[in-house]
Amino acid sequence: MAGRTGGPALPRARGELSAGVIDHLRGSGPLPYPARADTADPYGDDLQLALYLCYELHYRGFDGVDPALEWDPALLAVRAALERRFESALRQDVPPGPALDDTLDELLLEPVEVTGVSHFLQEHATRDRLRAYAAQRSLYHLKEADPHAWVLPRLGGRAKAGMAAIEYDEFGAGRAERVHARLFADLMADLGLETAYGHYLDEGHAEMLALVNLMSLFGLHRRLRGALVGHFAAVEITSSPASRRLALAMKRAGAGPAAEFFYTEHVEADAVHEQVVRHDVVRGLLDDEPGLEADVVFGIDATGFLEDRLGARFLTDWGAAAA
């Protein structure tokens, strides 16, 4: 078909929904009925992979898939049903949080019981664990700043300027070799992993797909611009201490200089970004649109909810309780 483009290969299906989307992208079968999403596990492999496939058409696409399918009306109807199921589950499982200032302050608090992934890896890093961790996180970090860029046309004034300043850093401040996605690919190379965009999609946990899909859900819908800013704030404010622990984990396991550098770079950069995102991006948005405060809080809390699910999956896989 004219206009077909390169990109990662289509993955294996994980159920009826993802199989139908894959068949449609290949031009070999019908789409699933949108109503099938209503009874699917909102955080399960099938729905999350199907949604990821729909979203990826707005990024790099897939090998052999017609780019025109990005705006295929039937596929968009299926995507909308998948999104409704995912978002409604999040709205149910992430109840309204406290006031925004309290929510932001809580992000800065280190837990009394240090049971998170970065704490575990700091003490129990092995090369195999770091490889497994990096392969999963590649689905996020190789597109790290891209979903956030969707919100720029939807912001104004101080919020837009602050967001653009941080994105400029994420995209390497004009230097291709310093783009953070490139730095993560260098980390992967140090660990002996494949560095191609989307290479580890077949291995991606449902919990990882959900976290990546959250960024796209928030980024692609103007009505969720406040939630996208909340997600961005959660990432930037919590990144620096976790990155410090992960840099030590990389050093402990002898992962290599590029692997260490990715996280040491984030220790310094995100410590600065935390102030910009809080005082310029978040406050700038709410000065302009105070009615979005609850959406910002939802974005923060939904991010934490899905990160906790992913962390629990890693720790279970590694037998953390027995380490």
Side-chain angles (χ1 to χ4, degrees):
M1 184 181 299
R4 288 181 183 271
T5 186
L10 284 167
R12 295 184 296 273
R14 304 187 190 182
E16 179 183 4
L17 292 169
S18 53
V21 172
I22 290 169
D23 286 346
H24 185 72
L25 296 180
R26 287 177 173 151
S28 61
L31 281 164
Y33 291 110
R36 295 290 175 86
D38 295 343
T39 56
D41 178 353
Y43 307 119
D45 282 290
D46 190 30
L47 184 143
Q48 290 300 327
L49 178 58
L51 187 54
Y52 183 98
L53 292 165
C54 293
Y55 283 149
E56 191 56 36
L57 298 176
H58 299 292
Y59 296 100
R60 307 280 186 94
F62 293 98
D63 184 36
V65 172
D66 185 356
L69 288 172
E70 178 182 6
W71 300 111
D72 177 59
L75 186 59
L76 290 175
V78 171
R79 192 190 97 182
L82 298 170
E83 288 177 322
R84 284 194 297 271
R85 179 67 170 151
F86 183 35
E87 185 181 350
S88 65
L90 287 170
R91 297 280 183 185
Q92 178 176 332
D93 294 333
V94 181
L100 176 61
D101 285 339
D102 293 335
T103 300
L104 291 171
D105 288 343
E106 287 177 7
L107 292 176
L108 296 171
L109 297 176
E110 288 286 275
V112 175
E113 296 183 4
V114 287
T115 58
V117 170
S118 64
H119 291 95
F120 177 80
L121 287 175
Q122 180 180 345
E123 299 299 325
H124 305 289
T126 66
R127 195 172 181 85
D128 285 345
R129 285 170 177 162
L130 294 177
R131 283 169 54 86
Y133 180 76
Q136 292 290 324
R137 296 293 299 192
S138 69
L139 299 177
Y140 175 99
H141 283 300
L142 293 183
K143 64 164 31 135
E144 180 176 357
D146 295 345
H148 299 139
W150 293 111
V151 82
L152 283 168
R154 296 153 184 177
L155 302 177
R158 189 153 49 102
K160 182 190 284 279
M163 190 80 182
I166 298 173
E167 287 283 272
Y168 182 65
D169 286 348
E170 297 288 342
F171 289 123
R175 296 171 58 189
E177 73 277 7
R178 299 282 296 195
V179 172
H180 284 195
R182 167 66 182 273
L183 296 180
F184 193 81
D186 294 341
L187 172 153
M188 295 175 72
D190 262 4
L191 290 169
L193 295 169
E194 293 291 333
T195 62
Y197 179 93
H199 179 83
Y200 290 100
L201 179 54
D202 267 328
E203 287 78 16
H205 299 327
E207 295 86 353
M208 187 72 249
L209 296 178
L211 193 58
V212 178
N213 285 339
L214 185 75
M215 295 193 296
S216 297
L217 173 67
F218 290 165
L220 287 168
H221 291 273
R222 181 179 173 275
R223 68 179 176 85
L224 294 172
R225 62 196 179 279
L228 189 281
V229 166
H231 167 81
F232 188 67
V235 170
E236 296 297 329
I237 291 173
T238 61
S239 174
S240 188
S243 292
R244 183 177 293 107
R245 290 187 288 269
L246 289 167
L248 291 172
M250 294 293 172
K251 184 174 184 178
R252 172 187 291 274
E260 289 185 46
F261 180 75
F262 177 82
Y263 288 110
T264 57
E265 168 74 4
H266 278 69
V267 170
E268 299 176 8
D270 291 345
V272 176
H273 292 172
E274 181 260 318
Q275 295 298 314
V276 177
V277 75
R278 181 163 184 163
H279 298 293
D280 292 335
V281 181
V282 173
R283 278 294 148 214
L285 172 67
L286 296 182
D287 285 348
D288 292 340
E289 300 185 87
L292 294 181
E293 179 171 338
D295 288 344
V296 175
V297 172
F298 172 66
I300 293 171
D301 290 343
T303 302
F305 173 75
L306 292 180
E307 283 282 9
D308 287 346
R309 286 175 55 88
L310 177 62
R313 173 66 182 268
F314 279 128
L315 295 175
T316 297
D317 287 350
W318 296 331

